Amino acid sequence: MKVGLFINTQFPEGFNLRERVPEMVAQVRAAREAGFASLWFPHHWLTHPMQMLQITPVMAYVAAHAQGMTIGPNILILPPLNPVHVAETTSLASAWAIASRNSTRLASASVSGRRGSTRASP
């Protein structure tokens, strides 16, 4: 069975949103290490007094820490959004996540390749 985690991006008035981002990253890392398969993010319209981070940049940011987990919007309110903007933003976030995963894999392969090398250094 695959289990996912719903990540809260909405906070009451007075919370410092900058302080919440490292907490979200810690949640993502803990979920990954615990074997969660996916991360899901809500999209709501920001209404006073609640504060809410935009999910596309947050999903792209945490993708580097998710390392192989599926990431997506659990709720995405499409009707009032421009469909071209949604497609562009989603494509950019997906490309960033893929590039981030690939760079992590390349860095790991490079490090492990150096450890296993039997060649003498010049």
Side-chain angles (χ1 to χ4, degrees):
M1 174 191 322
K2 293 183 179 181
V3 177
L5 178 66
F6 182 85
I7 303 284
N8 180 32
T9 59
Q10 189 175 38
F11 303 96
E13 182 179 26
F15 273 62
N16 183 333
L17 295 182
R18 276 189 221 159
E19 293 173 3
R20 305 288 76 89
V21 175
E23 292 170 1
M24 279 189 235
V25 168
Q27 275 186 321
V28 168
R29 288 180 175 166
R32 185 194 70 227
E33 291 168 9
F36 282 74
S38 57
L39 301 169
W40 303 101
F41 295 81
H43 174 244
H44 295 291
W45 293 106
L46 183 61
T47 57
H48 183 75
M50 298 298 285
Q51 306 174 80
M52 187 160 193
L53 296 168
Q54 295 179 29
I55 63 169
T56 302
V58 171
M59 288 188 299
Y61 185 78
V62 302
H65 307 280
Q67 298 177 352
M69 299 172 78
T70 298
I71 300 173
N74 181 267
I75 300 166
L76 186 58
I77 305 169
L78 291 174
L81 299 175
N82 179 318
V84 173
H85 177 72
V86 171
E88 288 174 343
T89 305
T90 304
S91 297
L92 289 172
S94 299
W96 189 90
I98 290 166
S100 174
R101 278 197 305 265
N102 288 341
S103 66
T104 301
R105 287 184 191 139
L106 288 174
S108 296
S110 175
V111 169
S112 64
R114 277 189 247 142
R115 287 184 189 149
S117 178
T118 57
R119 284 195 242 166
S121 298

